[in-house]
Amino acid sequence: MPSFIDRRLNPKDKSLSNRQRFLRRARGELKRVVHEKIKSGKIVDVDAGHSVPFPLDGTSEPSFQADRSSGRREHVLPGNKEFTAGDRLAKPGQGGGTGAGKGAASEGDMEDDFQFVLSREEVLDLFFEDLELPDMIKSSLKEAVTFRSRRAGFTIAGAPTNINVGRTMRNSFGRRIALQRPKLAQVEAIAKEIEELEAKHPKPGSASSERLAKMRSELERLERRRKVVGYIDPVDIRFNRFEPQPLPNASAVMFCLMDVSGSMGEREKDLAKRFFVLLHLFLKRRYERIDIVFIRHTHQAHEVDEETFFRSTQSGGTVVSTALEEMQRIILERYPSQDWNIYAAQASDGDNLAGDSEHCVNLLNKEIMKLCQYYAYVEILDERESAIFRSTDNGTSLWRSYRQVGENWRNFQMTRIAKPGDIYPVFRQLFAKQPSSAKNG
Amino acid sequence: MSKSAGASDLLFTGSDWTFDTLSRTYDAIKEVALDDLGLDCYPNQLEIISSEQMLDAYSSNGMPLIYQHWSFGKHFVYEEYLYRKGRRGLAYEIVINSNPCIAYLMEENTMALQALVIAHASFGHNHFFKNNYLFRQWTDASAILDYMEFAKGYVSRCEERYGFAAVESILDAAHTLMDQAVFRYRRPPRISSAKEQARVRERLEYEEKIFSDLWRTLPQPRQSEDTTEAEMEAQERKKALNLPEENLLYFLEKNSLILEPWEREILRIVRVVAQYFYPQRQTKVMNEGCATFVHYTIMNMLFDRGKISEGHLLEMLHSHSNVVFQPGFDDPRFSGLNPYAIGFAMMQDIERICTKPTAEDRDWFPEFAGNGDWRGTLLDAWANHRDESFLLQYLSPALIRKMRLFALDDESKEKHYQVASIHNERGYEKIRSSLARSYDIGMNQPNIQVVDVDLLGNRHLRLQHTARDGIVLSESTRDATLRHVRRLWGYDVSLVGVDAEFGNVLYETSTDKFAG
């Protein structure tokens, strides 16, 4: 008898820590790939696993290897059909000594299309890396949705603690009636009669002795039937069924507003996108259902799909209030504020038509901020400008006007960003307080 | 035998396995293996694992536990990719040279496959591990698992204490030299983990005890100008350091000037692992041939005794013939000689020569042709050979003809290959020795040795590559590897390629010429 060990139930991720080491090693390359993907992909897709090409940088394992194209070797091969000693065969490929070198080449090819899947956690880790988020925030963003068990009907299998007695007894009762299980009283009445008859010591052959025999066989029949048709049968048993249910969450809608006039270049759009992605992740943590609405504007605003939002440019002037009006229209039309938590994120380089900023402030103060849970405005600066503007309240007309809004509303956040690390502070306020107290006049 | 009695003798029916049938089958196989074939095995431990665990085992060289390093993660990701894409199937089993002998059986295998695998791994490989002289001399089956546990713990303690980056850089460097980290000729000392730890502790304590800063202030002896004396010194120095030294990691571990004690210990761990796997690399053909022959013979014997049904035998034979399939050189599926195929064919050929020799066999193998004792002959061959010597002694003309082997001369400067010999009277000897040489690791791996080091001067470490048949090293990996050697040595390292035949210098490279 050998010793068998069943290892199938052992933890599976034995090589997980080696995998983490490997990812750490290839971090730079993987990060570039993930950011590339986030840049080209959709906002909602960030929060998932991604397949990435195998990183080659920094993961080679060199060793002393013989050079395939030098020297002289002898190969012994099977399957000779027609050769005799002295035959000459052309080498495959031009000039180079391949032959047995084929193996090395094909391995190289293989690594080209070699993709492997990064899990959601790993992708988020890479995404968060230069956003400079505090660790607590990182972990709360990665946190999975919590479920609560909720009663949902009955089931025929389950743990004994979950037996539903009422339902089980009802089934049992119905079955006993249907199958005519003899009642205990019935059996006892016959037993009593038998006892009485026996007490009289009837003569064999007499009517009462016949009756006694009949009663006895009747008793036996009833008892057998009681045994066959059980009081409770496994088929009667019902268990309470529980269904994991995500904690009740209201729905949220996220408005992405962006200036797409010519002054917004590739860099500005990339920064804006990261900002939108981050807001989406924050919201996703809190809400079960999130809609995203993309509104782009020049001197007029349109609702567009994500692809158009980030890709195409439009020529024209810049009138910010058109976007706000469009947003207000969509809210009234599709997202009543009593059913939806409304979040807005606006990215712009700060340009606006002279005089329009006042109009924006009015719109925000009077209309939009009453509807919104949160409104974040980021102004994307040039790296050089950022040094000048960072500390002052001076700035573009839009910035100066929005400052008035910021003073009035606690749930209005604004910041200037020039690099990815600047994005997070916009959200700090959002996390500092509970959603219930977010609204404040 | 009546039909009903035969049916009741079957070890198992159907394709699902249970621990019951596994155990019954194991006992039946054991009976045949020990009593009939006369195998001598370590006690067996059979572990059932899932396919994911099999992938895990792949990435750690088949060891049940190994220290942590990113390269294992890389291999895992790669193997997983091949598996998921369906480019490569998983092995049915993995077996570990340890005492007790651990064999992993995949849970997905059918009962017939499990029987095959048990015969193959738990008896074939197991016997080979226990009896082959290379394994007996160079590995310590009873200590390896303890040692790996020690190694894993030691590396992770080092990571805690000195940081991931430091440990990783040492392991990276050590891994590049794994092929140059074995003693080929000298027998390595035995290991045991308890002693190992005590030794580490003692060494550290001793070094702390004798440390005295005063020694540093002593005046150095004046350097002699006399050249002959300098030469003498070089001789002395080489003698003191035991040069030339083929085991680069051993040399660096003992003599590097910059390594911390824990870094030396890590080099030692890598070296021990490399040494442990060295016999396996030298006996691929024999080891697989032995195991394949054992499972084939046992399964047929069990069938003859009516313990396995025809259907199951056919299923086993199907897997068996997949394993020993050898496509010809011009077949698109060809990827070199299959060690299973050639090993199994040779074992069968030996059996044939022992029992039904032809005149030619009597001519070539007078020692055992027709002796009738194929069991004894095979046991003897398994115990006392490695691939190179085995092929050189036992490859018969009949098999060369059957496999239609031919030797191809490949001079890299030429535009053509030349067929050197084919399966004819003049070619047998040549093909046989040429094939044997291709399985000699000592001949095929670059021979690199430490030849000199000037400990008192600029501490330059000199390596020499003795190039056979004009085969030099591939430059990109050579220089990358040298950088790692420099990391371990701490000072510049140079490598000289010398032609083995003529002694002329083929190339010369040194880390002080590299940028960065």
Side-chain angles (χ1 to χ4, degrees), chain A residues 209-339:
Chain A
S209 111
E210 247 170 55
R211 170 130 182 98
L212 183 62
K214 204 175 146 201
M215 292 311 266
R216 275 183 181 147
S217 72
E218 176 67 10
L219 181 67
E220 202 181 318
R221 191 186 67 81
L222 288 180
E223 268 171 351
R224 200 170 56 240
R225 190 159 184 86
R226 274 174 69 83
K227 214 171 277 172
V228 171
V229 184
Y231 186 72
I232 291 186
D233 192 273
V235 302
D236 303 332
I237 299 175
R238 290 295 177 273
F239 299 87
N240 292 333
R241 184 166 162 275
F242 292 92
E243 207 175 47
Q245 205 196 23
L247 285 170
N249 272 327
S251 312
V253 56
M254 168 177 161
F255 284 89
C256 299
L257 282 63
M258 187 164 68
D259 177 5
V260 292
S261 60
S263 54
M264 291 287 282
E266 198 56 34
R267 186 188 75 93
E268 284 79 9
K269 281 187 181 173
D270 180 41
L271 275 173
K273 182 156 187 184
R274 291 199 197 197
F275 166 69
F276 293 139
V277 166
L278 198 55
L279 179 61
H280 182 257
L281 284 171
F282 276 111
L283 297 181
K284 200 171 165 200
R285 189 188 70 104
R286 201 177 278 163
Y287 299 104
E288 189 54 28
R289 181 177 165 203
I290 305 169
D291 281 10
I292 307 182
V293 177
F294 296 97
I295 299 172
R296 64 168 191 182
H297 72 89
T298 50
H299 60 278
Q300 51 192 6
H302 296 286
E303 185 186 354
V304 291
D305 61 19
E306 185 167 350
E307 185 67 20
T308 328
F309 187 70
F310 286 111
R311 287 300 152 78
S312 68
T313 48
Q314 232 184 3
S315 56
T318 312
V319 183
V320 176
S321 60
T322 54
L324 297 177
E325 279 161 4
E326 175 77 0
M327 175 176 160
Q328 192 188 1
R329 187 185 64 78
I330 294 171
I331 291 174
L332 293 179
E333 212 170 83
R334 308 208 305 254
Y335 299 104
S337 63
Q338 64 270 27
D339 296 342

Side-chain angles (χ1 to χ4, degrees), chain A residues 1-19 21-25 54 58-81 83-92 94-100 102 107 110-111 113-116, chain B residues 17 19 22-23 26-27 44-49 52-53 56 64 68-78 81 87 107 159 164 168 172 176 180 326-327 329-330 334 337 403-412 414-420 422-423 434-435 446 448 469-474 477 480-481:
Chain A
M1 175 74 194
S3 45
F4 286 107
I5 298 179
D6 193 348
R7 292 254 183 241
R8 283 170 294 175
L9 297 177
N10 281 20
K12 287 201 174 72
D13 293 327
K14 209 167 142 189
S15 49
L16 188 66
S17 65
N18 286 331
R19 180 187 168 94
R21 267 156 235 254
F22 169 59
L23 293 182
R24 194 165 54 222
R25 176 97 185 184
F54 192 79
T59 60
S60 65
E61 297 169 89
S63 65
F64 290 123
Q65 294 291 340
D67 186 352
R68 297 265 177 205
S69 62
S70 71
R72 174 188 185 141
R73 329 177 141 65
E74 210 165 56
H75 310 291
V76 176
L77 302 168
N80 179 16
K81 293 185 185 71
F83 305 143
T84 60
D87 282 1
R88 285 155 72 85
L89 312 168
K91 288 186 182 179
Q94 281 300 311
T98 40
K102 262 186 284 177
E107 193 175 295
M110 206 124 90
E111 298 205 343
D113 61 339
F114 172 15
Q115 299 254 327
F116 76 106
Chain B
W17 58 268
F19 284 102
L22 275 186
S23 169
Y26 175 88
D27 290 338
N44 276 306
Q45 180 170 318
L46 303 173
E47 306 198 354
I48 315 289
I49 60 173
E52 279 169 55
Q53 288 166 325
D56 278 343
Q68 301 191 318
H69 186 248
W70 62 267
S71 63
F72 304 127
K74 173 181 157 183
H75 294 152
F76 179 80
V77 165
Y78 194 59
Y81 162 76
R87 291 218 190 146
E107 102 184 287
E159 281 179 342
F164 283 115
E168 190 172 287
D172 286 354
T176 62
Q180 278 74 36
Q326 174 68 64
F329 76 100
D330 50 356
F334 179 73
L337 272 175
M403 295 186 76
R404 303 185 87 81
L405 295 177
F406 67 105
L408 208 55
D409 207 5
D410 174 11
E411 168 63 56
S412 55
E414 300 285 330
K415 285 229 162 60
H416 292 86
Y417 297 116
Q418 181 153 357
V419 176
I422 61 161
H423 53 281
S434 173
L435 186 63
I448 294 166
D469 299 328
I471 298 173
V472 295
L473 297 178
S474 141
T477 57
T481 313

Side-chain angles (χ1 to χ4, degrees), chain A residues 144-426:
Chain A
V145 192
T146 50
F147 286 93
R148 201 181 53 184
S149 290
R150 202 188 63 127
R151 275 289 307 280
F154 305 97
T155 171
I156 53 167
T161 45
N162 289 339
I163 287 181
N164 185 309
V165 178
R167 181 59 69 115
T168 303
M169 290 316 289
R170 201 168 84 189
N171 286 343
S172 153
F173 190 53
R175 183 182 49 82
R176 274 180 277 139
I177 291 171
L179 297 177
Q180 299 175 337
R181 185 179 195 267
K183 291 202 170 77
L184 190 60
Q186 223 176 324
V187 176
E188 273 170 356
I190 292 174
K192 199 176 167 202
E193 198 176 338
I194 289 172
E195 211 173 289
E196 279 166 10
L197 285 172
E198 274 176 346
K200 289 177 194 156
H201 298 295
K203 283 190 198 107
S206 70
S208 52
S209 111
E210 247 170 55
R211 170 130 182 98
L212 183 62
K214 204 175 146 201
M215 292 311 266
R216 275 183 181 147
S217 72
E218 176 67 10
L219 181 67
E220 202 181 318
R221 191 186 67 81
L222 288 180
E223 268 171 351
R224 200 170 56 240
R225 190 159 184 86
R226 274 174 69 83
K227 214 171 277 172
V228 171
V229 184
Y231 186 72
I232 291 186
D233 192 273
V235 302
D236 303 332
I237 299 175
R238 290 295 177 273
F239 299 87
N240 292 333
R241 184 166 162 275
F242 292 92
E243 207 175 47
Q245 205 196 23
L247 285 170
N249 272 327
S251 312
V253 56
M254 168 177 161
F255 284 89
C256 299
L257 282 63
M258 187 164 68
D259 177 5
V260 292
S261 60
S263 54
M264 291 287 282
E266 198 56 34
R267 186 188 75 93
E268 284 79 9
K269 281 187 181 173
D270 180 41
L271 275 173
K273 182 156 187 184
R274 291 199 197 197
F275 166 69
F276 293 139
V277 166
L278 198 55
L279 179 61
H280 182 257
L281 284 171
F282 276 111
L283 297 181
K284 200 171 165 200
R285 189 188 70 104
R286 201 177 278 163
Y287 299 104
E288 189 54 28
R289 181 177 165 203
I290 305 169
D291 281 10
I292 307 182
V293 177
F294 296 97
I295 299 172
R296 64 168 191 182
H297 72 89
T298 50
H299 60 278
Q300 51 192 6
H302 296 286
E303 185 186 354
V304 291
D305 61 19
E306 185 167 350
E307 185 67 20
T308 328
F309 187 70
F310 286 111
R311 287 300 152 78
S312 68
T313 48
Q314 232 184 3
S315 56
T318 312
V319 183
V320 176
S321 60
T322 54
L324 297 177
E325 279 161 4
E326 175 77 0
M327 175 176 160
Q328 192 188 1
R329 187 185 64 78
I330 294 171
I331 291 174
L332 293 179
E333 212 170 83
R334 308 208 305 254
Y335 299 104
S337 63
Q338 64 270 27
D339 296 342
W340 292 83
N341 292 295
I342 296 165
Y343 288 79
Q346 183 184 5
S348 157
D349 55 359
D351 286 349
N352 199 4
L353 187 73
D356 183 57
S357 299
E358 285 311 310
H359 183 41
C360 292
V361 171
N362 268 335
L363 261 175
L364 284 169
N365 273 335
K366 300 230 170 78
E367 309 283 345
I368 294 176
M369 287 313 293
K370 284 183 200 151
L371 305 172
C372 281
Q373 285 275 16
Y374 183 74
Y375 194 106
Y377 170 66
V378 292
E379 194 163 296
I380 295 158
L381 298 182
D382 217 63
E383 296 270 9
R384 284 161 310 178
E385 286 174 354
S386 75
I388 308 167
F389 284 127
R390 181 64 55 80
S391 50
T392 65
D393 289 344
N394 262 333
T396 59
S397 66
L398 196 61
W399 178 264
R400 269 175 285 140
S401 315
Y402 271 17
R403 278 189 56 80
Q404 300 166 25
V405 186
E407 280 160 17
N408 289 343
W409 300 83
R410 273 219 326 236
N411 53 340
F412 186 91
Q413 291 296 322
M414 57 195 289
T415 193
R416 289 163 162 148
I417 59 176
K419 58 178 196 297
D422 299 336
I423 297 175
Y424 168 66
V426 195

